């Protein structure tokens, strides 16, 4: 399991919280069946001050099951969100 460290030099990673903002361009190839072992891989794709785009791939037995883009929004500790 990998945790993304997305803090900037002015905002340490431990003082930011990221929340799912959008799911984009996500395509499912087949259903995952009970008993399947699902491997999720996530790659940081694009980062800005408030958003992180993460490319995600899901596979079972080395076969691609789903892939797409997750958009996370970041809030620093002490910052109120809507």
């Amino acid at each position: 399991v990998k945790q993304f460290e997305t803090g900037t030099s002015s905002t340490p990673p431990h003082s930011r919280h990221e929340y799912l903002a959008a799911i984009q361009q996500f395509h499912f190839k087949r259903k995952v069946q009970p008993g399947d072992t699902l491997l999720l891989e996530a790659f940081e794709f694009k980062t800005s001050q408030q958003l992180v785009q993460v490319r995600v791939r899901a596979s079972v037995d080395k076969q691609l099951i789903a892939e797409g883009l997750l958009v996370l929004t970041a809030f620093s500790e002490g910052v109120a969100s809507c």
Side-chain angles (χ1 to χ4, degrees):
V1 175
K2 179 180 179 190
Q3 178 180 359
F4 287 99
E5 298 291 338
T6 58
T8 62
S9 58
S10 62
T11 306
H14 62 276
S15 66
R16 288 169 50 115
H17 301 281
E18 294 166 352
Y19 300 94
L20 182 62
I23 300 171
Q24 298 177 340
Q25 304 168 3
F26 224 91
H27 303 281
F28 294 87
K29 311 294 184 190
R30 75 168 179 89
K31 293 181 182 179
V32 177
Q33 301 297 320
D36 285 346
T37 299
L38 183 66
L39 173 65
L40 296 174
E41 298 175 277
F43 308 93
E44 195 165 320
F45 180 63
K46 187 176 180 183
T47 304
S48 69
Q49 192 170 12
Q50 291 294 322
L51 296 176
V52 177
Q53 293 181 352
V54 180
R55 175 75 48 199
V56 177
R57 295 172 48 97
S59 59
V60 172
D61 295 327
K62 298 183 181 180
Q63 292 183 345
L64 182 65
I65 301 301
E67 64 183 337
L69 188 67
L70 301 179
V71 180
L72 308 175
T73 184
F75 296 98
S76 298
E77 285 183 8
V79 175
S81 61
C82 299

